[in-house]
């Protein structure tokens, strides 16, 4: 049985955990059918940071905010970093965007036209300049590049173009900066995607060097994929740069992390902990959009879902599990893992929150704070932030 005697160590680990929230989750979002605008949505990156600061205030474990360029373009990124710090948060990962310009219809870094590839690489290098200004460690690279029809372009040549662009970015990185290459098995391309899976991302990162790592977006796999296996392997190879947490039942991957499959999230966090990735350079980022639900509470709930999965995974009795595994006792080994998963960790997390001086119920505390009413009343006029689609 999972013993409460682990509680002090588990609590200590939970207090050091950090989940990065994405600036775009605070803005309007939707599907290709409709974006349902919500009252109080930020109009500026600064207002997004105001909202992100509430998530950190109520959870205690969301100190950094990922930016998306150009969605969060400002004249002075140093000033934006200061604005964030004054509100108790920091700017985190810089997300490039080479998927929304008309020139990128046939791809960006993999485009057959060298001029388009140069334009895309220039944007990626601009993102590294921004990292220098914000003090960000990570550049996240997701490419929508791909093809819609067999014969449209040459698979191998596109990999050569990709490698050339990644090498140019790698060359530009500072000593303490990283590039995180993210894969997605389909969408928006319908036939091939140039970075479709962990193997492709891993192969490119391996060639580039230690500063190139893979991002596992939990919504970017074919149904039924064993994501925790990928996590265990990348962590073992020293190539797990981080996560984009979200969840999905079918295609679009913008539901709250843990909402579709909390057991999978637990298994992922178990492999992270088993591989020493919890207190490491692995970035735990959310990459979600909240199309029909209130955004700030949805992000708070997502952070809590990550915490609950982590707490359960930390409660796995490693000694008993190893003994059962070595002795080939299948049922006993499975029971050890399920015992931890079936433990209600909400009381433990409530204690952690009280010990760090915040309300044990972050959602209730947010609703009591009046922030939703305040932003609805004050954020009138202007242009609400979206994701530029
Ligand atoms: C889109 C992409 C990918 C990326 C995110 C932020 O599918 O997940 O991480 O935008 O750029 O969701
Ligand atoms: Mn992502």
């Amino acid at each position: 049985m999972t013993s409460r005697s682990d509680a002090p160590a588990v609590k200590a680990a939970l207090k050091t955990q950090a989940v990065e929230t994405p600036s775009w989750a605070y803005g309007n979002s939707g599907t290709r059918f409709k974006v349902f605008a919500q009252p109080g949505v930020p109009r500026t990156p600064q207002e997004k940071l105001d909202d992100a600061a509430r998530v950190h205030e109520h959870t205690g474990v969301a100190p950094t905010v990922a930016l998306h360029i150009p969605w969060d373009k400002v004249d002075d990124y140093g000033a934006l970093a200061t604005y964030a710090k004054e509100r108790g948060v920091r700017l985190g990962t810089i997300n490039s965007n080479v998927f929304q310009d008309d020139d990128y219809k046939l791809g960006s870094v993999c485009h057959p036209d060298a001029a388009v590839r140069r334009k895309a690489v220039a944007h990626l290098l601009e993102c590294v300049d921004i990292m220098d200004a914000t003090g960000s460690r990570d550049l996240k690279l997701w490419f929508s590049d791909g093809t819609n029809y067999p014969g449209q372009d040459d698979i191998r040549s596109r990999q050569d173009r990709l490698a050339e662009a990644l090498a140019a970015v790698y060359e530009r990185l500072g000593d303490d900066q990283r590039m995180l290459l993210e894969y997605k098995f389909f969408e928006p391309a319908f036939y091939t995607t140039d970075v479709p899976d962990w193997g492709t991302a891993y192969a490119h990162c391996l060639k580039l060097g230690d500063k190139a790592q893979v991002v596992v977006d939990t919504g970017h796999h074919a149904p039924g994929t064993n994501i925790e296996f990928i996590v265990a392997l990348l962590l073992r190879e020293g190539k797990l740069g981080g996560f984009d947490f979200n969840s999905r039942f079918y295609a679009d991957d913008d539901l709250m992390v843990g909402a579709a499959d909390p057991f999978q999230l637990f298994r992922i966090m178990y492999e992270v902990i088993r591989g020493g990735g919890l207190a490491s350079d692995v970035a735990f980022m959310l990459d979600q959009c909240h199309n029909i639900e209130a955004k700030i509470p949805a992000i708070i709930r997502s952070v809590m879902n990550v915490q609950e999965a982590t707490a359960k995974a930390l409660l796995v009795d490693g000694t008993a599990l190893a003994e059962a595994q070595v002795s080939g006792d299948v049922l006993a080994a499975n029971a050890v893992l399920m015992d931890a998963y079936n433990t209600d960790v909400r009381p433990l997390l409530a204690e952690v929150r009280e010990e760090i001086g915040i309300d044990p119920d972050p959602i209730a505390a947010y609703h009591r704070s009046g922030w939703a009413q305040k932003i609805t009343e004050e954020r009138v006029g202007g242009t609400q932030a979206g994701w530029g689609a």
Side-chain angles (χ1 to χ4, degrees):
M1 285 299 286
T2 305
S3 62
R4 291 281 298 178
S5 63
D6 310 321
V10 170
K11 286 182 178 179
L14 291 167
K15 290 171 184 174
T16 60
Q17 185 170 32
V19 180
E20 182 165 288
T21 70
S23 68
W24 55 95
Y26 299 98
N28 283 322
S29 60
T31 68
R32 58 195 173 105
F33 298 101
K34 170 68 179 168
V35 172
F36 293 101
Q38 295 189 26
V41 158
R43 285 79 52 90
T44 63
Q46 289 80 359
E47 289 181 346
K48 294 180 190 177
L49 291 169
D50 293 337
D51 288 357
R54 302 289 69 73
V55 173
H56 184 45
E57 175 192 359
H58 293 299
T59 63
V61 294
T64 61
V65 187
L67 295 185
H68 206 292
I69 308 302
W71 300 342
D72 295 312
K73 205 167 183 63
V74 292
D75 294 335
D76 185 339
Y77 289 97
L80 189 65
T82 302
Y83 185 93
K85 285 198 182 89
E86 289 167 350
R87 282 146 189 82
V89 291
R90 296 190 317 276
L91 299 181
T93 305
I94 300 299
N95 287 262
S96 61
N97 180 331
V98 284
F99 53 89
Q100 286 182 315
D101 185 300
D102 285 340
D103 287 342
Y104 297 141
K105 182 165 70 176
L106 301 181
S108 60
V109 292
C110 300
H111 197 287
D113 179 344
V116 175
R117 299 200 296 273
R118 280 195 296 274
K119 174 178 179 174
V121 170
H123 167 76
L124 303 181
L125 296 178
E126 177 200 358
C127 287
V128 184
D129 295 340
I130 292 170
M131 290 164 69
D132 290 345
T134 59
S136 300
R137 177 190 67 181
D138 292 339
L139 169 67
K140 183 138 80 87
L141 301 167
W142 173 71
F143 299 106
S144 61
D145 290 51
T147 61
N148 282 3
Y149 292 97
Q152 175 186 331
D153 199 350
D154 180 66
I155 291 174
R156 286 175 65 100
S157 302
R158 290 180 74 92
Q159 290 297 310
D160 295 339
R161 300 166 196 159
L162 172 63
E164 186 180 340
L166 294 176
V169 176
Y170 192 90
E171 180 68 26
R172 168 66 182 80
L173 291 175
D175 292 342
D176 301 326
Q177 294 173 331
R178 308 186 309 174
M179 54 197 278
L180 307 182
L181 182 56
E182 179 177 358
Y183 59 90
K184 188 174 187 181
F185 80 115
F186 93 112
E187 190 189 51
F190 296 153
Y191 170 56
T192 62
T193 296
D194 293 302
V195 188
D197 54 32
W198 72 267
T200 307
Y202 174 71
H204 281 283
C205 289
L206 196 59
K207 288 194 182 84
L208 288 164
D210 293 342
K211 293 186 289 190
Q213 301 266 311
V214 178
V215 167
V216 175
D217 184 305
T218 51
H220 284 187
H221 304 79
T225 300
N226 186 326
I227 299 175
E228 63 268 28
F229 183 90
I230 297 169
V231 169
L233 189 136
L234 287 174
L235 202 49
R236 183 172 177 277
E237 295 299 328
K239 281 294 182 186
L240 180 64
F243 290 93
D244 267 1
F245 281 131
N246 51 59
S247 67
R248 63 179 181 78
F249 289 96
Y250 301 98
D252 231 344
D253 59 331
D254 278 325
L255 297 177
M256 295 183 290
V257 57
D261 187 347
F263 184 38
Q264 177 189 65
L265 183 58
F266 160 77
R267 299 192 315 263
I268 288 170
M269 290 313 298
Y270 171 72
E271 291 306 334
V272 168
I273 292 161
R274 166 76 180 81
L278 189 59
S280 74
D281 286 339
V282 172
F284 298 96
M285 302 175 273
L286 299 183
D287 173 17
Q288 305 169 172
C289 289
H290 302 290
N291 301 343
I292 60 172
E293 65 272 31
K295 297 170 189 296
I296 297 173
I299 297 168
I300 291 173
R301 170 60 63 195
S302 296
V303 172
M304 293 169 68
N305 287 352
V306 174
Q307 289 184 297
E308 289 180 22
T310 305
K312 288 171 181 257
L314 284 164
L315 286 175
V316 171
D317 182 337
T319 306
L321 183 58
E323 283 167 6
Q325 289 171 339
V326 167
S327 65
D329 189 336
V330 174
L331 291 180
N334 176 255
V336 170
L337 210 69
M338 295 314 294
D339 171 48
Y341 176 65
N342 291 325
T343 303
D344 183 355
V345 293
R346 291 171 296 180
L348 180 72
L349 281 162
E351 289 171 21
V352 165
R353 293 183 184 112
E354 284 169 338
E355 290 170 13
I356 63 174
I358 63 173
D359 192 294
D361 182 343
I363 297 279
Y366 170 73
H367 287 313
R368 280 199 309 275
S369 72
W371 185 257
Q373 290 77 2
K374 173 180 164 59
I375 59 179
T376 298
E377 287 160 11
E378 292 179 3
R379 294 177 184 171
V380 175
T383 304
Q384 290 190 330
W387 39 220

